[in-house]
C-alpha cells in the first residue's frame, strides 16, 4: 500500500529515488512497479496496524489486558540499566528467570535463565590481578638478569685489558 495513491486497487507507477516501495540499484535508475493504493477495501485479508493513542474506552482483548514481557535483558549492561544497578552490584542475582512447566505432569516445574553476556566475573578479575603480578615479577627478573650479564661482561672486559 502506497501513501498518496487514492485507489482501492493496484496501479503501475514509475518510481525513482526517494519513493517508498522502491530502492534504486544504480544512480538515476527508475522502475515501473505495481503498487496498491492506500484506500482500505474488503479485498484486503490482513491489515497491519499500530495503536498510536488510546481512547476513553478499552478495546476488549487488546488494551484491557497487560501482557508481561516473557523474556528479560540478557546483556550485563542492559540488566544494570533495567534494574538501575551500579558496577559493584552482582548482575547474576537480577537475571529474569522464567518458570517452565514440563510436558510430563509428574515432574516438578523448573526455572530457566539466560546466559549473561559480557559478564566480567569477580573470579576472573582476581585471576587477572594475580596474572599481572606474575608478569611484573617475571619482567623484573629478566631485567635483573640483563643487568647482571652487563656487569659480568664489563668486569671481564676490564680484566682482559
Amino acid at each position: 500500500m502506497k501513501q498518496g495513491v487514492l485507489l482501492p486497487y493496484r496501479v503501475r507507477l514509475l518510481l525513482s529515488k526517494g519513493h517508498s516501495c522502491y530502492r534504486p540499484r544504480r544512480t538515476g535508475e527508475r522502475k515501473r512497479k505495481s503498487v496498491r493504493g492506500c484506500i482500505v477495501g474488503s479485498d484486503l485479508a490482513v491489515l497491519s496496524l499500530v495503536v498510536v493513542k488510546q481512547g476513553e474506552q478499552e478495546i476488549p482483548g487488546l488494551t484491557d489486558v497487560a501482557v508481561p514481557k516473557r523474556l528479560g535483558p540478557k546483556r550485563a549492561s542492559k540488566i544494570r540499566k533495567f534494574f538501575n544497578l551500579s558496577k559493584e552490584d552482582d548482575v547474576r542475582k537480577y537475571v529474569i528467570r522464567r518458570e517452565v512447566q514440563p510436558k510430563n505432569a509428574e515432574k516438578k516445574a523448573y526455572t530457566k535463565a539466560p546466559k549473561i553476556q559480557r559478564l566480567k566475573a569477580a573470579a576472573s578479575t582476581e585471576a587477572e590481578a594475580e596474572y599481572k603480578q606474575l608478569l611484573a615479577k617475571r619482567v623484573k627478573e629478566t631485567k635483573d638478569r640483563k643487568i647482571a650479564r652487563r656487569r659480568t661482561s664489563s668486569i671481564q672486559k676490564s680484566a682482559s685489558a
Side-chain angles (χ1 to χ4, degrees):
M1 292 179 87
K2 185 161 172 57
Q3 211 73 35
V5 180
L6 303 173
L7 297 166
Y9 48 85
R10 294 172 85 79
V11 286
R12 287 179 61 79
L13 298 176
L14 188 64
L15 302 174
S16 61
K17 185 177 184 248
H19 284 108
S20 60
C21 308
Y22 175 65
R23 182 175 64 88
R25 304 304 194 267
R26 303 180 71 155
T27 54
E29 182 186 28
R30 298 184 307 168
K31 201 167 204 177
R32 193 166 300 280
K33 297 208 74 175
S34 178
V35 290
R36 193 197 184 280
C38 65
I39 305 296
V40 176
S42 61
D43 60 326
L44 291 174
V46 177
L47 194 60
S48 181
L49 300 171
V50 176
V51 177
V52 178
K53 186 180 170 192
Q54 193 172 337
E56 308 88 46
Q57 283 128 2
E58 299 283 331
I59 301 169
L62 188 66
T63 58
D64 59 347
V65 181
V67 180
K69 284 180 78 174
R70 197 177 85 86
L71 302 173
K74 184 180 169 86
R75 190 182 292 181
S77 60
K78 302 243 174 132
I79 295 168
R80 281 193 190 96
K81 187 178 167 188
F82 190 77
F83 290 104
N84 200 19
L85 303 173
S86 67
K87 288 268 188 186
E88 288 75 44
D89 292 323
D90 189 11
V91 180
R92 291 172 291 187
K93 293 176 184 171
Y94 293 90
V95 177
I96 294 175
R97 302 184 74 84
R98 63 185 178 92
E99 197 167 294
V100 179
Q101 296 294 335
K103 289 177 182 141
N104 192 346
E106 294 111 39
K107 289 186 179 174
K108 192 170 67 170
Y110 59 95
T111 59
K112 267 187 162 182
K115 180 178 180 284
I116 304 169
Q117 298 299 309
R118 300 189 185 180
L119 174 68
K120 199 153 191 181
S124 69
T125 52
E126 287 170 14
E128 201 175 303
E130 197 175 300
Y131 181 68
K132 281 182 180 176
Q133 277 184 331
L134 182 68
L135 278 178
K137 184 181 168 188
R138 285 185 182 164
V139 168
K140 190 175 182 290
E141 285 173 358
T142 53
K143 279 184 182 177
D144 291 342
R145 272 194 226 120
K146 278 185 180 178
I147 292 168
R149 275 194 209 129
R150 284 183 190 152
R151 282 187 190 147
T152 55
S153 64
S154 63
I155 292 168
Q156 287 172 350
K157 283 179 184 176
S158 63
S160 64

Short mmCIF file of all heavy atoms in Angstrom, two decimals, residues 99-160:
data_model
loop_
_atom_site.label_atom_id
_atom_site.label_comp_id
_atom_site.label_asym_id
_atom_site.label_seq_id
_atom_site.Cartn_x
_atom_site.Cartn_y
_atom_site.Cartn_z
N GLU A 99 9.55 -19.57 34.59
CA GLU A 99 9.19 -20.91 35.04
C GLU A 99 8.74 -21.75 33.86
O GLU A 99 7.95 -21.29 33.03
CB GLU A 99 8.07 -20.84 36.09
CG GLU A 99 7.94 -22.11 36.89
CD GLU A 99 7.07 -21.94 38.12
OE1 GLU A 99 7.47 -21.19 39.02
OE2 GLU A 99 6.00 -22.56 38.14
N VAL A 100 9.25 -22.97 33.78
CA VAL A 100 8.92 -23.89 32.69
C VAL A 100 8.15 -25.07 33.26
O VAL A 100 8.60 -25.71 34.21
CB VAL A 100 10.21 -24.38 31.98
CG1 VAL A 100 9.87 -25.35 30.86
CG2 VAL A 100 11.00 -23.22 31.45
N GLN A 101 6.99 -25.34 32.66
CA GLN A 101 6.19 -26.49 33.07
C GLN A 101 6.60 -27.68 32.19
O GLN A 101 6.50 -27.59 30.96
CB GLN A 101 4.69 -26.20 32.88
CG GLN A 101 4.16 -25.08 33.75
CD GLN A 101 4.18 -25.41 35.22
OE1 GLN A 101 4.15 -26.58 35.62
NE2 GLN A 101 4.26 -24.38 36.04
N PRO A 102 7.09 -28.76 32.79
CA PRO A 102 7.49 -29.91 31.98
C PRO A 102 6.29 -30.59 31.33
O PRO A 102 5.16 -30.50 31.83
CB PRO A 102 8.19 -30.84 32.98
CG PRO A 102 7.69 -30.43 34.30
CD PRO A 102 7.31 -28.98 34.21
N LYS A 103 6.53 -31.27 30.20
CA LYS A 103 5.46 -31.96 29.48
C LYS A 103 4.91 -33.11 30.31
O LYS A 103 3.72 -33.42 30.26
CB LYS A 103 5.97 -32.46 28.13
CG LYS A 103 6.22 -31.32 27.16
CD LYS A 103 6.79 -31.80 25.87
CE LYS A 103 7.05 -30.58 24.98
NZ LYS A 103 8.27 -30.70 24.23
N ASN A 104 5.80 -33.74 31.06
CA ASN A 104 5.39 -34.84 31.93
C ASN A 104 4.77 -34.23 33.19
O ASN A 104 5.40 -33.44 33.89
CB ASN A 104 6.60 -35.70 32.27
CG ASN A 104 6.21 -37.01 32.93
OD1 ASN A 104 5.07 -37.18 33.36
ND2 ASN A 104 7.15 -37.93 33.01
N ALA A 105 3.54 -34.58 33.53
CA ALA A 105 2.81 -33.98 34.65
C ALA A 105 3.43 -34.34 36.01
O ALA A 105 3.30 -33.57 36.97
CB ALA A 105 1.36 -34.42 34.62
N GLU A 106 4.10 -35.52 36.11
CA GLU A 106 4.67 -35.93 37.40
C GLU A 106 5.90 -35.11 37.79
O GLU A 106 6.21 -34.95 38.96
CB GLU A 106 5.05 -37.41 37.38
CG GLU A 106 3.88 -38.36 37.27
CD GLU A 106 3.86 -39.07 35.94
OE1 GLU A 106 4.92 -39.45 35.44
OE2 GLU A 106 2.75 -39.25 35.40
N LYS A 107 6.61 -34.58 36.79
CA LYS A 107 7.84 -33.83 37.07
C LYS A 107 7.52 -32.45 37.61
O LYS A 107 6.47 -31.86 37.32
CB LYS A 107 8.69 -33.71 35.81
CG LYS A 107 9.32 -35.02 35.40
CD LYS A 107 10.26 -34.82 34.24
CE LYS A 107 10.91 -36.14 33.85
NZ LYS A 107 11.71 -36.00 32.64
N LYS A 108 8.46 -31.93 38.41
CA LYS A 108 8.29 -30.62 39.05
C LYS A 108 8.66 -29.51 38.08
O LYS A 108 9.53 -29.67 37.22
CB LYS A 108 9.22 -30.58 40.27
CG LYS A 108 8.96 -29.41 41.21
CD LYS A 108 9.75 -29.56 42.50
CE LYS A 108 11.23 -29.44 42.25
NZ LYS A 108 12.03 -29.33 43.46
N ALA A 109 8.00 -28.36 38.21
CA ALA A 109 8.30 -27.19 37.37
C ALA A 109 9.68 -26.65 37.73
O ALA A 109 10.08 -26.70 38.91
CB ALA A 109 7.24 -26.12 37.57
N TYR A 110 10.40 -26.15 36.74
CA TYR A 110 11.75 -25.61 36.98
C TYR A 110 11.87 -24.25 36.31
O TYR A 110 11.02 -23.86 35.50
CB TYR A 110 12.82 -26.58 36.47
CG TYR A 110 12.74 -26.89 35.01
CD1 TYR A 110 13.49 -26.18 34.08
CD2 TYR A 110 11.91 -27.91 34.53
CE1 TYR A 110 13.42 -26.47 32.73
CE2 TYR A 110 11.83 -28.19 33.18
CZ TYR A 110 12.59 -27.48 32.28
OH TYR A 110 12.51 -27.75 30.95
N THR A 111 12.93 -23.52 36.67
CA THR A 111 13.12 -22.18 36.09
C THR A 111 14.30 -22.18 35.13
O THR A 111 15.24 -22.96 35.29
CB THR A 111 13.36 -21.12 37.19
OG1 THR A 111 14.51 -21.48 37.93
CG2 THR A 111 12.17 -20.99 38.10
N LYS A 112 14.21 -21.28 34.17
CA LYS A 112 15.27 -21.12 33.18
C LYS A 112 15.70 -19.67 33.18
O LYS A 112 14.87 -18.77 33.33
CB LYS A 112 14.75 -21.47 31.78
CG LYS A 112 14.97 -22.88 31.35
CD LYS A 112 14.56 -23.02 29.90
CE LYS A 112 15.16 -24.26 29.28
NZ LYS A 112 14.81 -24.39 27.87
N ALA A 113 17.00 -19.44 32.99
CA ALA A 113 17.53 -18.08 32.91
C ALA A 113 18.52 -18.02 31.75
O ALA A 113 19.20 -19.01 31.46
CB ALA A 113 18.21 -17.70 34.21
N PRO A 114 18.64 -16.87 31.10
CA PRO A 114 19.60 -16.78 30.00
C PRO A 114 21.03 -16.71 30.51
O PRO A 114 21.27 -16.32 31.66
CB PRO A 114 19.22 -15.46 29.31
CG PRO A 114 18.62 -14.65 30.39
CD PRO A 114 17.91 -15.62 31.29
N LYS A 115 21.97 -17.09 29.66
CA LYS A 115 23.39 -16.96 29.99
C LYS A 115 23.75 -15.49 29.80
O LYS A 115 23.51 -14.91 28.74
CB LYS A 115 24.23 -17.82 29.04
CG LYS A 115 25.71 -17.76 29.30
CD LYS A 115 26.44 -18.67 28.34
CE LYS A 115 27.93 -18.63 28.57
NZ LYS A 115 28.55 -17.42 28.06
N ILE A 116 24.26 -14.87 30.83
CA ILE A 116 24.55 -13.44 30.78
C ILE A 116 25.75 -13.20 29.87
O ILE A 116 26.79 -13.82 30.03
CB ILE A 116 24.82 -12.88 32.19
CG1 ILE A 116 23.65 -13.18 33.11
CG2 ILE A 116 25.06 -11.38 32.13
CD1 ILE A 116 23.91 -12.89 34.56
N GLN A 117 25.58 -12.28 28.93
CA GLN A 117 26.65 -11.93 28.00
C GLN A 117 27.41 -10.71 28.52
O GLN A 117 26.83 -9.86 29.19
CB GLN A 117 26.08 -11.62 26.62
CG GLN A 117 25.37 -12.81 25.99
CD GLN A 117 26.27 -13.99 25.78
OE1 GLN A 117 27.34 -13.88 25.21
NE2 GLN A 117 25.86 -15.15 26.25
N ARG A 118 28.70 -10.65 28.19
CA ARG A 118 29.60 -9.56 28.59
C ARG A 118 29.64 -9.38 30.10
O ARG A 118 29.62 -8.27 30.62
CB ARG A 118 29.18 -8.24 27.92
CG ARG A 118 29.23 -8.34 26.42
CD ARG A 118 29.04 -7.00 25.79
NE ARG A 118 28.97 -7.13 24.34
CZ ARG A 118 28.80 -6.13 23.52
NH1 ARG A 118 28.69 -4.92 23.97
NH2 ARG A 118 28.75 -6.33 22.23
N LEU A 119 29.67 -10.52 30.80
CA LEU A 119 29.75 -10.51 32.26
C LEU A 119 31.19 -10.71 32.66
O LEU A 119 31.81 -11.72 32.31
CB LEU A 119 28.88 -11.63 32.83
CG LEU A 119 28.95 -11.84 34.33
CD1 LEU A 119 28.33 -10.66 35.06
CD2 LEU A 119 28.25 -13.11 34.74
N LYS A 120 31.73 -9.76 33.40
CA LYS A 120 33.09 -9.89 33.89
C LYS A 120 32.98 -10.34 35.34
O LYS A 120 32.64 -9.56 36.23
CB LYS A 120 33.82 -8.55 33.79
CG LYS A 120 35.30 -8.71 33.85
CD LYS A 120 35.99 -7.60 33.12
CE LYS A 120 37.45 -7.94 32.98
NZ LYS A 120 38.19 -6.92 32.30
N ALA A 121 33.22 -11.62 35.59
CA ALA A 121 33.04 -12.21 36.91
C ALA A 121 34.14 -11.76 37.86
O ALA A 121 35.25 -11.40 37.45
CB ALA A 121 33.04 -13.73 36.80
N ALA A 122 33.82 -11.77 39.17
CA ALA A 122 34.78 -11.36 40.19
C ALA A 122 35.99 -12.29 40.20
O ALA A 122 37.12 -11.84 40.41
CB ALA A 122 34.11 -11.34 41.56
N ALA A 123 35.75 -13.57 39.97
CA ALA A 123 36.85 -14.55 39.97
C ALA A 123 37.84 -14.24 38.86
O ALA A 123 39.06 -14.35 39.06
CB ALA A 123 36.28 -15.95 39.80
N SER A 124 37.33 -13.82 37.71
CA SER A 124 38.23 -13.53 36.59
C SER A 124 39.06 -12.27 36.87
O SER A 124 40.21 -12.19 36.47
CB SER A 124 37.45 -13.37 35.29
OG SER A 124 36.68 -12.20 35.33
N THR A 125 38.49 -11.29 37.59
CA THR A 125 39.25 -10.08 37.91
C THR A 125 40.35 -10.39 38.91
O THR A 125 41.45 -9.84 38.82
CB THR A 125 38.33 -8.97 38.46
OG1 THR A 125 37.56 -9.48 39.53
CG2 THR A 125 37.43 -8.42 37.39
N GLU A 126 40.06 -11.30 39.86
CA GLU A 126 41.09 -11.72 40.83
C GLU A 126 42.21 -12.45 40.10
O GLU A 126 43.39 -12.20 40.35
CB GLU A 126 40.47 -12.63 41.90
CG GLU A 126 39.58 -11.90 42.89
CD GLU A 126 38.81 -12.85 43.77
OE1 GLU A 126 39.14 -14.06 43.81
OE2 GLU A 126 37.87 -12.38 44.44
N ALA A 127 41.84 -13.35 39.22
CA ALA A 127 42.82 -14.11 38.45
C ALA A 127 43.65 -13.17 37.57
O ALA A 127 44.86 -13.36 37.42
CB ALA A 127 42.12 -15.16 37.59
N GLU A 128 42.98 -12.15 37.02
CA GLU A 128 43.67 -11.16 36.18
C GLU A 128 44.71 -10.40 36.98
O GLU A 128 45.84 -10.19 36.52
CB GLU A 128 42.62 -10.20 35.62
CG GLU A 128 43.05 -9.45 34.39
CD GLU A 128 41.92 -8.61 33.82
OE1 GLU A 128 40.86 -9.16 33.51
OE2 GLU A 128 42.13 -7.39 33.70
N ALA A 129 44.34 -10.00 38.20
CA ALA A 129 45.27 -9.27 39.07
C ALA A 129 46.46 -10.16 39.42
O ALA A 129 47.61 -9.70 39.41
CB ALA A 129 44.55 -8.81 40.32
N GLU A 130 46.19 -11.42 39.72
CA GLU A 130 47.24 -12.38 40.06
C GLU A 130 48.19 -12.57 38.87
O GLU A 130 49.42 -12.58 39.04
CB GLU A 130 46.58 -13.72 40.42
CG GLU A 130 47.47 -14.68 41.16
CD GLU A 130 46.71 -15.92 41.57
OE1 GLU A 130 45.71 -15.79 42.32
OE2 GLU A 130 47.12 -17.00 41.13
N TYR A 131 47.63 -12.67 37.67
CA TYR A 131 48.42 -12.83 36.45
C TYR A 131 49.30 -11.61 36.20
O TYR A 131 50.46 -11.74 35.82
CB TYR A 131 47.48 -13.09 35.27
CG TYR A 131 48.18 -13.31 33.96
CD1 TYR A 131 48.96 -14.45 33.75
CD2 TYR A 131 48.09 -12.39 32.94
CE1 TYR A 131 49.61 -14.67 32.55
CE2 TYR A 131 48.74 -12.58 31.73
CZ TYR A 131 49.50 -13.73 31.54
OH TYR A 131 50.14 -13.92 30.35
N LYS A 132 48.75 -10.41 36.43
CA LYS A 132 49.53 -9.18 36.25
C LYS A 132 50.72 -9.14 37.21
O LYS A 132 51.82 -8.72 36.84
CB LYS A 132 48.65 -7.94 36.46
CG LYS A 132 47.79 -7.62 35.26
CD LYS A 132 46.98 -6.37 35.48
CE LYS A 132 46.11 -6.06 34.28
NZ LYS A 132 45.24 -4.91 34.50
N GLN A 133 50.49 -9.59 38.46
CA GLN A 133 51.58 -9.65 39.44
C GLN A 133 52.68 -10.59 38.96
O GLN A 133 53.87 -10.29 39.04
CB GLN A 133 51.05 -10.13 40.79
CG GLN A 133 50.44 -9.04 41.64
CD GLN A 133 50.04 -9.57 43.00
OE1 GLN A 133 49.72 -10.75 43.15
NE2 GLN A 133 50.04 -8.69 44.00
N LEU A 134 52.27 -11.75 38.46
CA LEU A 134 53.22 -12.76 37.97
C LEU A 134 54.03 -12.20 36.80
O LEU A 134 55.26 -12.36 36.76
CB LEU A 134 52.46 -14.02 37.54
CG LEU A 134 53.30 -15.19 37.04
CD1 LEU A 134 54.11 -15.77 38.17
CD2 LEU A 134 52.42 -16.25 36.42
N LEU A 135 53.35 -11.51 35.87
CA LEU A 135 54.05 -10.91 34.73
C LEU A 135 55.05 -9.86 35.19
O LEU A 135 56.18 -9.81 34.69
CB LEU A 135 53.04 -10.26 33.77
CG LEU A 135 52.34 -11.18 32.78
CD1 LEU A 135 51.36 -10.39 31.94
CD2 LEU A 135 53.32 -11.89 31.88
N ALA A 136 54.64 -9.01 36.13
CA ALA A 136 55.52 -7.96 36.65
C ALA A 136 56.76 -8.58 37.29
O ALA A 136 57.89 -8.10 37.11
CB ALA A 136 54.78 -7.09 37.64
N LYS A 137 56.56 -9.67 38.02
CA LYS A 137 57.66 -10.38 38.68
C LYS A 137 58.64 -10.93 37.63
O LYS A 137 59.87 -10.78 37.77
CB LYS A 137 57.09 -11.52 39.53
CG LYS A 137 58.11 -12.28 40.34
CD LYS A 137 57.42 -13.39 41.10
CE LYS A 137 58.42 -14.35 41.68
NZ LYS A 137 57.78 -15.54 42.27
N ARG A 138 58.10 -11.53 36.56
CA ARG A 138 58.95 -12.10 35.50
C ARG A 138 59.73 -11.00 34.78
O ARG A 138 60.90 -11.18 34.45
CB ARG A 138 58.11 -12.89 34.51
CG ARG A 138 57.68 -14.23 35.06
CD ARG A 138 56.95 -15.02 34.02
NE ARG A 138 56.48 -16.29 34.56
CZ ARG A 138 55.58 -17.06 34.00
NH1 ARG A 138 55.04 -16.70 32.86
NH2 ARG A 138 55.21 -18.19 34.56
N VAL A 139 59.08 -9.88 34.50
CA VAL A 139 59.75 -8.76 33.83
C VAL A 139 60.90 -8.25 34.68
O VAL A 139 61.99 -7.97 34.18
CB VAL A 139 58.72 -7.63 33.51
CG1 VAL A 139 59.41 -6.35 33.10
CG2 VAL A 139 57.76 -8.09 32.42
N LYS A 140 60.65 -8.15 35.99
CA LYS A 140 61.69 -7.68 36.92
C LYS A 140 62.87 -8.65 36.93
O LYS A 140 64.04 -8.23 36.90
CB LYS A 140 61.11 -7.54 38.33
CG LYS A 140 62.01 -6.84 39.32
CD LYS A 140 61.29 -6.66 40.63
CE LYS A 140 62.12 -5.91 41.63
NZ LYS A 140 63.25 -6.63 42.13
N GLU A 141 62.59 -9.96 36.95
CA GLU A 141 63.65 -10.97 36.94
C GLU A 141 64.50 -10.88 35.67
O GLU A 141 65.72 -10.95 35.73
CB GLU A 141 63.04 -12.37 37.05
CG GLU A 141 62.55 -12.72 38.44
CD GLU A 141 61.81 -14.05 38.49
OE1 GLU A 141 61.64 -14.70 37.42
OE2 GLU A 141 61.38 -14.44 39.58
N THR A 142 63.84 -10.72 34.52
CA THR A 142 64.59 -10.62 33.25
C THR A 142 65.46 -9.36 33.22
O THR A 142 66.59 -9.40 32.74
CB THR A 142 63.65 -10.63 32.03
OG1 THR A 142 62.66 -9.62 32.21
CG2 THR A 142 63.00 -11.98 31.83
N LYS A 143 64.94 -8.25 33.77
CA LYS A 143 65.74 -7.02 33.84
C LYS A 143 66.96 -7.23 34.72
O LYS A 143 68.07 -6.81 34.39
CB LYS A 143 64.90 -5.87 34.41
CG LYS A 143 64.01 -5.20 33.38
CD LYS A 143 63.30 -4.01 33.99
CE LYS A 143 62.37 -3.35 33.01
NZ LYS A 143 61.63 -2.24 33.61
N ASP A 144 66.75 -7.89 35.87
CA ASP A 144 67.87 -8.16 36.79
C ASP A 144 68.93 -9.03 36.11
O ASP A 144 70.14 -8.80 36.27
CB ASP A 144 67.36 -8.84 38.07
CG ASP A 144 66.52 -7.91 38.94
OD1 ASP A 144 66.61 -6.68 38.74
OD2 ASP A 144 65.77 -8.42 39.81
N ARG A 145 68.47 -10.05 35.34
CA ARG A 145 69.40 -10.92 34.64
C ARG A 145 70.23 -10.14 33.61
O ARG A 145 71.44 -10.33 33.50
CB ARG A 145 68.65 -12.04 33.92
CG ARG A 145 68.40 -13.25 34.80
CD ARG A 145 67.97 -14.45 33.96
NE ARG A 145 66.83 -15.08 34.60
CZ ARG A 145 65.63 -15.24 34.07
NH1 ARG A 145 65.39 -14.86 32.83
NH2 ARG A 145 64.66 -15.79 34.74
N LYS A 146 69.57 -9.24 32.86
CA LYS A 146 70.27 -8.44 31.86
C LYS A 146 71.32 -7.56 32.52
O LYS A 146 72.45 -7.44 32.04
CB LYS A 146 69.27 -7.54 31.10
CG LYS A 146 68.55 -8.26 29.98
CD LYS A 146 67.70 -7.28 29.21
CE LYS A 146 66.97 -7.97 28.07
NZ LYS A 146 66.10 -7.05 27.33
N ILE A 147 70.95 -6.93 33.64
CA ILE A 147 71.88 -6.06 34.37
C ILE A 147 73.07 -6.88 34.88
O ILE A 147 74.23 -6.46 34.79
CB ILE A 147 71.17 -5.33 35.54
CG1 ILE A 147 70.16 -4.33 34.95
CG2 ILE A 147 72.14 -4.63 36.45
CD1 ILE A 147 69.20 -3.74 35.96
N ALA A 148 72.78 -8.10 35.39
CA ALA A 148 73.84 -8.97 35.90
C ALA A 148 74.78 -9.37 34.76
O ALA A 148 76.01 -9.39 34.94
CB ALA A 148 73.23 -10.21 36.53
N ARG A 149 74.27 -9.66 33.56
CA ARG A 149 75.10 -10.01 32.41
C ARG A 149 75.99 -8.85 32.01
O ARG A 149 77.16 -9.04 31.70
CB ARG A 149 74.21 -10.39 31.22
CG ARG A 149 73.76 -11.82 31.24
CD ARG A 149 73.19 -12.21 29.86
NE ARG A 149 72.19 -13.25 30.03
CZ ARG A 149 70.96 -13.23 29.53
NH1 ARG A 149 70.57 -12.21 28.81
NH2 ARG A 149 70.15 -14.22 29.74
N ARG A 150 75.42 -7.66 32.01
CA ARG A 150 76.20 -6.48 31.63
C ARG A 150 77.36 -6.27 32.60
O ARG A 150 78.47 -5.93 32.19
CB ARG A 150 75.31 -5.23 31.62
CG ARG A 150 74.42 -5.17 30.39
CD ARG A 150 73.62 -3.89 30.39
NE ARG A 150 72.59 -3.92 29.35
CZ ARG A 150 71.45 -3.27 29.42
NH1 ARG A 150 71.17 -2.53 30.47
NH2 ARG A 150 70.59 -3.35 28.43
N ARG A 151 77.07 -6.44 33.87
CA ARG A 151 78.12 -6.27 34.89
C ARG A 151 79.25 -7.26 34.69
O ARG A 151 80.42 -6.90 34.72
CB ARG A 151 77.52 -6.43 36.29
CG ARG A 151 76.76 -5.21 36.77
CD ARG A 151 76.36 -5.37 38.21
NE ARG A 151 75.43 -4.30 38.58
CZ ARG A 151 74.45 -4.42 39.44
NH1 ARG A 151 74.22 -5.59 40.03
NH2 ARG A 151 73.67 -3.41 39.73
N THR A 152 78.87 -8.55 34.49
CA THR A 152 79.92 -9.58 34.32
C THR A 152 80.70 -9.33 33.06
O THR A 152 81.94 -9.49 33.06
CB THR A 152 79.29 -10.99 34.30
OG1 THR A 152 78.29 -11.03 33.27
CG2 THR A 152 78.71 -11.39 35.63
N SER A 153 80.05 -8.92 31.97
CA SER A 153 80.78 -8.68 30.71
C SER A 153 81.69 -7.47 30.85
O SER A 153 82.81 -7.47 30.34
CB SER A 153 79.81 -8.51 29.54
OG SER A 153 79.02 -7.37 29.74
N SER A 154 81.24 -6.41 31.56
CA SER A 154 82.09 -5.22 31.74
C SER A 154 83.29 -5.55 32.65
O SER A 154 84.38 -5.05 32.43
CB SER A 154 81.28 -4.05 32.30
OG SER A 154 80.79 -4.37 33.58
N ILE A 155 83.09 -6.41 33.64
CA ILE A 155 84.19 -6.83 34.54
C ILE A 155 85.20 -7.62 33.74
O ILE A 155 86.42 -7.44 33.88
CB ILE A 155 83.64 -7.63 35.75
CG1 ILE A 155 82.81 -6.72 36.67
CG2 ILE A 155 84.78 -8.30 36.52
CD1 ILE A 155 82.01 -7.45 37.71
N GLN A 156 84.73 -8.54 32.87
CA GLN A 156 85.62 -9.37 32.06
C GLN A 156 86.42 -8.50 31.08
O GLN A 156 87.61 -8.73 30.89
CB GLN A 156 84.83 -10.43 31.27
CG GLN A 156 84.31 -11.56 32.16
CD GLN A 156 83.38 -12.48 31.41
OE1 GLN A 156 82.97 -12.20 30.29
NE2 GLN A 156 83.03 -13.60 32.04
N LYS A 157 85.79 -7.50 30.49
CA LYS A 157 86.46 -6.61 29.55
C LYS A 157 87.57 -5.82 30.24
O LYS A 157 88.67 -5.66 29.71
CB LYS A 157 85.47 -5.65 28.89
CG LYS A 157 84.63 -6.29 27.82
CD LYS A 157 83.65 -5.27 27.21
CE LYS A 157 82.75 -5.92 26.20
NZ LYS A 157 81.75 -5.00 25.69
N SER A 158 87.26 -5.33 31.44
CA SER A 158 88.26 -4.54 32.19
C SER A 158 89.42 -5.43 32.65
O SER A 158 90.57 -4.99 32.70
CB SER A 158 87.62 -3.80 33.36
OG SER A 158 87.08 -4.75 34.28
N ALA A 159 89.13 -6.68 32.96
CA ALA A 159 90.17 -7.61 33.41
C ALA A 159 91.09 -7.98 32.25
O ALA A 159 92.30 -8.16 32.42
CB ALA A 159 89.55 -8.84 34.01
N SER A 160 90.55 -8.17 31.06
CA SER A 160 91.35 -8.56 29.90
C SER A 160 92.19 -7.41 29.36
O SER A 160 93.20 -7.62 28.73
CB SER A 160 90.46 -9.14 28.81
OG SER A 160 89.57 -8.14 28.36
#
